[in-house]
Amino acid sequence: MIPRLGVNIDHVATIRNARGSQYPDPVHAAKLAVSAGADGITAHLREDRRHISDADIESLLKSLTVPLNLEIAATDEMLQIALKARPHAACIVPEKREERTTEGGLDAAGLYDDLAPFIRKLRDNGSRVSLFIEADYKQIDAALTLGAPVVELHTGAYADAFYAGEFAKSEALLEQLNKAASYGAERGLEIHAGHGLTFETVTPVAAIEQVSELNIGHFLISDAIFSGLHGSVSRMKELIALARADGAE
Ligand code: PXP
């Protein structure tokens, strides 16, 4: 089965928030992603609201025709929001205020007491819960004990090693992802993967037989600059020229 693609639209909101403007609209981006074949939309509502806002989540829930995967930290505030929003999926991620992005996976094993009621409430409320973890048997065992039906394996270290030119390391991390995927799937978990994936790094991860969903964001929004900037500049030139054309006001 071909893995589903969840498109993470956080960084459309990052660009919007950099200027406090109304554009670019992450909901518009989500719709465009869906029209291009995205199977789902992923958004991370961070505690500091640095990109996606509460209003974005509301608009996404109202207008999406595909499942929303809401990424949240395991805090009381996020639990209340997710219980009210009732997204198709809730992915629990570790969150540190000072980090640039989600660095490393959740310590599902170490946070058992906090996570167990959190996961139970979300599941009882109808959301499919996933835990964003490192490709580590101990964390997979913890996800099983916690009753999470899905784990998302963090591919960030693999992708970083690839771009650092540390190919032996990236191969070893890929092997770890492969092993963790089969270990988890054999025990009944649904396996997802994501973080830092690009056109150059996605193929071996998408090829892992047990992976049924990939969540990709930062690279897609970055690449869209290069696939879209030409048209945007041409359109601006056109409008400027039209303003001076005969008959223009
Ligand atoms: N999966 C999870 C759980 C994430 O937290 C993120 C980043 O928000 C992604 C996937 C997507 O990562 P990237 O934006 O690097 O593609």
Side-chain angles (χ1 to χ4, degrees):
M1 221 184 59
I2 298 174
R4 296 184 298 272
L5 172 63
V7 172
N8 181 314
I9 40 100
D10 291 351
H11 297 297
V12 178
T14 303
I15 298 172
R16 175 194 61 194
N17 296 1
R19 291 287 288 269
S21 53
Q22 299 299 311
Y23 64 87
D25 176 10
V27 179
H28 186 179
K31 288 180 179 168
L32 203 59
V34 172
S35 75
D39 301 289
I41 295 298
T42 293
H44 183 175
L45 185 65
R46 276 187 169 267
E47 197 188 355
D48 61 9
R49 308 300 197 272
R50 72 174 72 156
H51 38 57
I52 292 294
S53 68
D54 298 63
D56 292 330
I57 297 296
E58 271 180 44
S59 307
L60 286 166
L61 285 165
K62 269 192 210 131
S63 51
L64 280 184
T65 53
V66 296
L68 175 68
N69 174 31
L70 178 63
E71 294 179 358
I72 49 171
T75 65
D76 284 342
E77 184 200 14
M78 289 302 151
L79 179 62
Q80 294 318 315
I81 290 171
L83 289 177
K84 193 162 162 248
R86 234 166 155 238
H88 167 85
C91 179
I92 307 175
V93 301
E95 201 173 295
K96 296 189 215 100
R97 254 176 203 271
E98 63 282 7
E99 70 189 355
R100 274 188 292 182
T101 181
T102 312
E103 290 161 4
L106 190 71
D107 182 11
L111 296 171
Y112 183 89
D113 291 346
D114 293 330
L115 290 174
F118 199 91
I119 293 169
R120 186 174 37 75
K121 285 176 192 161
L122 289 171
R123 286 194 70 175
D124 290 350
N125 197 47
S127 293
R128 183 201 69 191
V129 178
S130 68
L131 303 184
F132 189 42
I133 58 169
E134 294 296 331
D136 174 344
Y137 292 169
K138 193 174 86 175
Q139 298 299 341
I140 291 174
D141 288 339
L144 283 160
T145 316
L146 283 161
V150 183
V151 290
E152 179 165 332
L153 301 177
H154 198 312
T155 53
Y158 148 73
D160 286 349
F162 177 90
Y163 280 106
E166 297 169 0
F167 299 115
K169 185 176 171 189
S170 78
E171 281 302 314
L173 290 166
L174 194 58
E175 185 52 24
Q176 221 170 297
L177 287 162
N178 259 292
K179 285 188 178 152
S182 60
Y183 182 86
E186 274 163 21
R187 285 156 183 77
L189 290 173
E190 185 174 321
I191 311 293
H192 299 177
H195 209 281
L197 295 177
T198 64
F199 290 153
E200 288 179 295
T201 54
V202 72
T203 305
V205 180
I208 300 174
E209 196 189 320
Q210 297 84 1
V211 168
S212 60
E213 181 175 306
L214 293 168
N215 285 299
I216 307 181
H218 184 259
F219 170 76
L220 287 173
I221 304 309
S222 308
D223 186 67
I225 295 171
F226 298 110
S227 56
L229 187 60
H230 187 280
S232 304
V233 173
S234 304
R235 176 73 182 139
M236 191 57 86
K237 284 287 287 182
E238 210 174 80
L239 288 172
I240 293 167
L242 273 172
R244 297 299 179 95
D246 283 347
E249 293 195 2

